[in-house]
Amino acid sequence: MSASATLSIASRPDATTGGVSPTSHRILHVFRAPVGGLFRHVVDLARLQAAAGHEVGIVCDASTGGERAAQALADLASSLSLGVVRVPMHRNPHHSDLTALRTLGERARVTGATVLHGHGAKGGVYARTARVTGAVPIRAYTPHGGSYNYKPGTLRHRFYMGVERLLALRTDVFLFESEYVAGRHRAHAGRPRLARIVHNGICEAEFLPVAPTADAYDLLYIGELRDAKGVPFLLEALANLRRKGRSLRLLMVGSGPDADLLAARVRAMGLGHAVAFEPPQPIRAVLARGRIMVVPSLAESLPYVVLEAAAAQHPLVATNVGGIPEIFGTAASHLVPPRDADALEDAIVRVIDEAPDARAAWFADLGASVQARFSMKRMGADVLSGYAAAFRARADARAVAVGVDQAL
């Protein structure tokens, strides 16, 4: 065993350290699908934490993400000293969950994990319920929206919020990615014992403006292809604009469970010649191919796609849902209500018809605001601060318990 490995193992919290925060963590990030903003968040955190001297590993689903995810994990390998384990994980409760939990528990034991950090609803369940023998790691949870986006009052929402109330008992620290999700938790699952708001952050290079190409599409959608993202309302707005004489074209970049249904809807609406579909690809190259990005979401947490477009000073129309107002800040009045194709249409026209200089100034101001508030370095530091607070809380609880025993 190397000297560095010995140091890391010796510094993990156990009965001899009293639960004090170690100088070097062994962190396992647990999540289901290596796709989208959640995956980007984990990748960024893993790199930041490895660069800060911590040992990092990943446990995620074996079947989603395809070649793009496999390549991203291969590119990340140098930062993952605790490796990658991929095991079947289903979105909804499934008998395979038992295998995944055993795999995670064993991986935590073998690696001597000091932190299990669950991301998303499924990753959060695994990280907080896996049985780990030996030293018990702290258990952190970042929801990324997930089950918090279900409509309040529905049977599904009540069920998942009941689960969250139970799992809160096994959560050392909540690291909410938006005030919106934190508020949903307080309202429907109770006030957490320990919580931090850790906004998603992006790197300095992403704040460079992106200029459109000469043959850019008029409108751009980037994200999952599913009805919950509000795509039908965007298509309706596009159809209305074209009927009114605006010959706009839309590029849709992404994949998802409703891809075929949406393609069929495009054809049925007579928009086949005005809408193009392309698979997921790096966002900055895609931003250059559209003049206005539209985010018609019905529910969100703190979407990276909005952060990335705003940082690039790209003209943007978005709905007033989830944590998007936190990104827009003082410009949140420009957001439109969800499920309203007419409001979406009006917002698109407003941006199109804005004088070029005024439009550029508008989105330059938004970019500067995002740059001041959503730093990747700050995100990484705030996550580590959350871990440290959890270790301190555990140490304090043990000290109190020892004091009670001595008093008795």
Side-chain angles (χ1 to χ4, degrees):
M1 182 179 293
S2 69
S4 60
T6 303
L7 175 62
S8 297
I9 292 171
S11 63
R12 70 175 185 258
D14 55 24
T16 61
T17 63
V20 176
S21 176
T23 57
S24 177
H25 300 299
R26 289 186 162 198
I27 306 159
L28 287 182
H29 291 286
V30 188
F31 57 99
R32 188 181 66 84
V35 297
L38 185 156
F39 186 37
R40 180 202 159 140
H41 179 81
V42 173
V43 168
D44 289 344
L45 272 184
R47 288 201 171 101
L48 290 167
Q49 291 170 345
H54 305 288
E55 297 182 72
V56 185
I58 281 176
V59 178
C60 67
D61 180 40
S63 59
T64 49
E67 293 182 5
R68 187 175 173 85
Q71 185 60 55
L73 289 169
D75 294 342
L76 187 62
S78 62
S79 297
L80 299 177
S81 59
L82 301 186
V84 177
V85 172
R86 303 191 68 177
V87 61
M89 298 180 182
H90 290 255
R91 179 186 293 272
N92 295 313
H94 191 269
H95 62 79
S96 64
D97 292 339
L98 296 175
T99 299
L101 283 167
R102 284 195 297 269
T103 301
L104 175 58
E106 178 63 11
R107 191 64 181 167
R109 184 192 67 80
V110 169
T111 60
T114 60
V115 178
L116 292 185
H117 189 159
H119 301 264
K122 204 59 179 277
V125 170
Y126 289 157
R128 294 179 289 174
T129 60
R131 181 174 180 272
V132 182
T133 58
V136 180
I138 66 160
R139 300 173 194 252
Y141 177 41
T142 301
H144 298 277
S147 56
Y148 293 90
N149 285 331
Y150 290 126
K151 185 177 179 180
T154 62
L155 181 61
R156 179 172 288 186
H157 181 265
R158 290 198 299 270
F159 171 76
Y160 280 107
M161 290 303 98
V163 171
E164 285 298 338
R165 282 192 291 274
L166 290 174
L167 290 177
L169 301 174
R170 292 181 59 85
T171 309
D172 293 291
V173 60
F174 285 86
L175 300 172
F176 294 111
E177 70 282 2
S178 66
E179 178 56 49
Y180 166 77
V181 174
R184 297 274 285 200
H185 183 93
R186 289 193 297 270
H188 302 291
R191 185 170 294 275
R193 291 175 296 179
L194 180 61
R196 293 280 200 279
I197 306 297
V198 181
H199 283 134
N200 297 331
I202 53 181
C203 69
E204 289 301 313
E206 294 175 277
F207 290 98
L208 297 174
V210 172
T213 59
D215 60 344
Y217 287 78
D218 304 287
L219 305 178
L220 175 64
Y221 171 85
I222 304 173
E224 276 193 283
L225 299 181
R226 58 190 181 101
D227 281 0
K229 290 295 184 178
V231 177
F233 297 96
L234 171 56
L235 295 177
E236 185 180 343
L238 174 63
N240 291 341
L241 288 165
R242 290 183 63 84
R243 279 195 293 269
K244 294 175 181 178
R246 294 183 183 260
S247 300
L248 305 181
R249 298 181 305 143
L250 166 66
L251 173 62
M252 301 188 68
V253 177
S255 61
D258 296 334
D260 292 341
L261 291 175
L262 290 171
R265 181 173 293 175
V266 164
R267 293 190 295 270
M269 296 175 71
L271 295 173
H273 60 293
V275 179
F277 290 87
E278 293 188 9
Q281 50 201 278
I283 186 170
R284 286 180 66 85
V286 177
L287 287 175
R289 300 178 58 203
R291 300 187 187 282
I292 301 172
M293 191 176 83
V294 184
V295 182
S297 296
L298 310 183
E300 288 287 358
S301 177
L302 197 84
Y304 270 102
V305 69
V306 175
L307 280 175
E308 291 162 329
Q313 302 178 29
H314 194 282
L316 177 65
V317 170
T319 48
N320 188 2
V321 297
I324 294 179
E326 295 171 54
I327 298 174
F328 270 65
T330 58
S333 60
H334 294 293
L335 298 171
V336 302
R339 303 179 184 276
D340 190 334
D342 292 337
L344 203 60
E345 175 188 343
D346 291 343
I348 291 169
V349 168
R350 187 164 57 248
V351 175
I352 289 175
D353 291 348
E354 185 73 76
D357 289 347
R359 182 169 58 237
W362 174 5
F363 290 101
D365 287 346
L366 178 58
S369 173
V370 167
Q371 186 170 20
R373 295 178 293 124
F374 296 93
S375 157
M376 186 185 294
K377 289 183 179 179
R378 177 176 177 179
M379 176 186 76
D382 286 351
V383 167
L384 292 176
S385 175
Y387 295 167
F391 280 114
R392 288 195 299 271
R394 177 176 290 180
D396 290 345
R398 286 178 174 172
V400 169
V402 169
V404 170
D405 287 343
Q406 290 176 341
L408 295 175

